[in-house]
Amino acid sequence: MTQTYKYREIYLKIKQDILSQQYNSHEKLPSKRQLANDQSVSINTVKNAYEQLFAEGYIYTKERQGYFVEVLNKLIIQDHHVSQPLNNNPTQIKSSFRYSLSHMTTDISQFPIDFWSKHVKEAFSTFKNEMSEIPIYKGPLELRKSIAQLISYKRGVSCYPEQIIVSSGTANLLSTLFKTLSDNQKIAIENPGYSRMRKLFIDMGQEVVNIPLDHKGLSVNTLKTEKPDFVVTTPSHQFPTGTIMPISRRIELLNWVTEQNKYIIEDDYDSEYKYGTDNIPSLYSLDKNDRVIYLGTFSKTLMPSLRVSYMVLPYPLLYKFDLATETSITDLSSINAYALHLFIKSGNYEKYIRKMHHIYTEKRELFLKILSKEFKEDITIYDMQAGLHFLLNIKSTLSYKEIEQKAHDNSIELYTLRRFMVEEPANSSIKTLIIGFAKIELEDIEPAILKLKEIIYN
Ligand SMILES: Cc1ncc(COP(=O)(O)O)c(C=O)c1O
């Protein structure tokens, strides 16, 4: 038996005896020499065990008198208390599907991992000093500068790096923003809309109002009656319907917030992908009165697991935000943040987006072609030529729940309109499915549609 093992054994035995009150408080422990003799170990081994017990506060020393037991209450252990492992907690286990038609996933098969790894290494050597420090709340200035250039060029968002906050997810950014504001803000959310965001605001105790949509996007008339303080909208590609807000509605919306001194939160989650025509300019680029908070993310262009998102704050909100977060610690990983900065700066990000644009165009076109061929007049496709998903209206006698369950049973990851509406959609013979085409492989598109056909018609 090694001395190390013996030291642990002596330490654990005495600790257990103290905790179970085999020793009285202030009782003297055997001398090191005596215990070493009894246990046939070296004095040093006993000394190590006693020093560990002393460091943890089980025993104390009196000069030249030895070690004594501290005054400890008996640790209560309830008879019936048995901890159960949560290994099989169904809410924390994600199924993996044969076919993903999810709007939340991206294709990472072509991700230039070698370049990314090179940038991670480069980040570590170039920003050595920053790596060893607690990062500032808003994210590294270098990354904020890269993002400022990127969104100025791509989205017409002209801002200073100091207006940008980078964090691990849109929800973090918004919850921090709202913590810096006074309580009880009234927030308008599109219905149907991004259900996670609705839940976030409800969980934060904010007042949420649901705003219906028409063919131009969110209804400004409803805003006029509800008078919210903030309006969350997805104008470039309404989530989930896909509607692109025309300029007439954008002006109407901007004018309303300007006159009322309110704010728009523009969730520009997937605007990098536009098919057929150029990208749609952001609402932020049209605003001349500091009324728009701009939200962007790398979840769609790179991958959702990277967890890098950003927010551009207009100046009226910035000072308070900076003050409130002055001593906060970011949850953004610096190594990823600097690697992303180098990825953008090197041009590799742009190159990757161009490549993925090509791949997504191909997948999307094949999807539309095979869907039309297989379902013919039983479907209507709301193809807005943008983003990574589209809406599919399909004739079916099945309920939404049945469609979801059957898709699940057939190993298809599929979501329906039900997920994004406040109220259960009307039980009509037409059901609306959200078809995400990013993750599925090209050769799997036809088999997935044929499976879907089986589900819908059987
Ligand atoms: C509508 C919408 N907004 C925002 C986001 C971005 O969320 P995050 O940046 O937290 O990944 C997503 C991501 O899927 C989304 O679907």
Side-chain angles (χ1 to χ4, degrees), residues 103-104 169-171 194 197 234 239 267 269 296-300 304 307-309:
H103 55 282
M104 293 179 272
T170 306
Y194 188 31
M197 212 177 277
T234 43
F239 187 81
D267 180 8
Y269 66 103
T297 180
F298 291 94
S299 290
K300 298 287 183 184
R307 307 312 301 136
V308 183
S309 320

Side-chain angles (χ1 to χ4, degrees), residues 201-217:
F201 288 127
I202 292 171
D203 289 351
M204 285 179 73
Q206 308 286 357
E207 185 183 351
V208 171
V209 283
N210 300 298
I211 308 294
L213 310 172
D214 59 24
H215 65 290
K216 289 184 175 182

Side-chain angles (χ1 to χ4, degrees), residues 20-233:
S20 58
Q21 300 194 326
Q22 308 280 343
Y23 288 105
N24 296 320
S25 300
H26 306 297
E27 186 173 335
K28 190 173 183 308
L29 291 174
S31 73
K32 284 182 275 187
R33 182 175 304 277
Q34 184 194 334
L35 194 55
N37 273 340
D38 291 351
Q39 297 290 321
S40 308
V41 295
S42 71
I43 292 182
N44 246 350
T45 302
V46 178
K47 184 170 168 264
N48 288 343
Y50 276 2
E51 278 179 1
Q52 186 61 32
L53 290 164
F54 175 71
E56 292 179 34
Y58 287 95
I59 60 177
Y60 61 92
T61 54
K62 279 192 199 167
E63 217 173 335
R64 274 193 267 276
Q65 293 182 47
Y67 290 93
F68 297 83
V69 175
E70 274 286 5
V71 182
L72 297 178
N73 287 338
K74 192 169 189 311
L75 190 66
I76 297 171
I77 300 171
Q78 291 177 329
D79 286 347
H80 56 277
H81 184 82
V82 185
S83 293
Q84 292 290 344
L86 287 175
N87 301 350
N88 296 323
N89 183 353
T91 62
Q92 295 303 318
I93 297 170
K94 234 179 156 202
S95 319
S96 70
F97 296 91
R98 173 70 185 86
Y99 304 113
S100 172
L101 303 187
S102 162
H103 55 282
M104 293 179 272
T105 50
T106 60
D107 183 347
I108 57 159
S109 63
Q110 303 297 313
F111 186 75
I113 190 66
D114 290 346
F115 278 129
W116 183 266
S117 310
K118 188 184 96 170
H119 293 314
V120 168
K121 271 192 177 168
E122 197 185 334
F124 204 79
S125 53
T126 313
F127 302 102
K128 234 188 184 94
N129 189 39
E130 290 79 355
M131 287 305 157
S132 63
E133 290 176 346
I134 290 182
I136 68 160
Y137 188 76
K138 290 166 85 164
L141 182 61
E142 285 79 1
L143 176 60
R144 287 186 281 128
K145 281 183 183 164
S146 297
I147 291 176
Q149 277 177 10
L150 192 73
I151 56 180
S152 163
Y153 157 65
K154 298 286 275 185
R155 310 294 302 125
V157 173
S158 169
C159 68
Y160 293 98
E162 65 176 1
Q163 288 177 265
I164 300 179
I165 300 106
V166 192
S167 187
S168 65
T170 306
N172 279 338
L173 290 162
L174 289 177
S175 71
T176 310
L177 172 65
F178 279 87
K179 277 183 211 152
T180 72
L181 304 172
S182 50
D183 287 348
N184 298 324
Q185 302 289 341
K186 191 169 180 180
I187 303 167
I189 304 241
E190 295 167 331
N191 182 30
Y194 188 31
S195 44
R196 283 185 210 273
M197 212 177 277
R198 184 183 296 124
K199 183 173 181 310
L200 169 81
F201 288 127
I202 292 171
D203 289 351
M204 285 179 73
Q206 308 286 357
E207 185 183 351
V208 171
V209 283
N210 300 298
I211 308 294
L213 310 172
D214 59 24
H215 65 290
K216 289 184 175 182
L218 129 163
S219 153
V220 176
N221 282 340
T222 315
L223 294 182
K224 288 178 183 166
T225 45
E226 292 287 356
K227 294 190 174 53
D229 302 297
F230 290 83
V231 184
V232 185
T233 182

Side-chain angles (χ1 to χ4, degrees), residues 393-425:
N393 271 1
I394 194 158
K395 276 188 201 155
S396 176
T397 51
L398 297 172
S399 70
Y400 274 109
K401 266 196 182 147
E402 284 168 332
I403 294 175
E404 284 165 8
Q405 189 57 52
K406 285 188 164 210
H408 196 283
D409 295 346
N410 282 277
S411 203
I412 300 181
E413 185 177 17
L414 175 72
Y415 300 93
T416 68
L417 191 63
R418 200 168 78 94
R419 181 183 169 103
F420 308 103
M421 293 198 67
V422 178
E423 65 291 337
E424 207 47 36

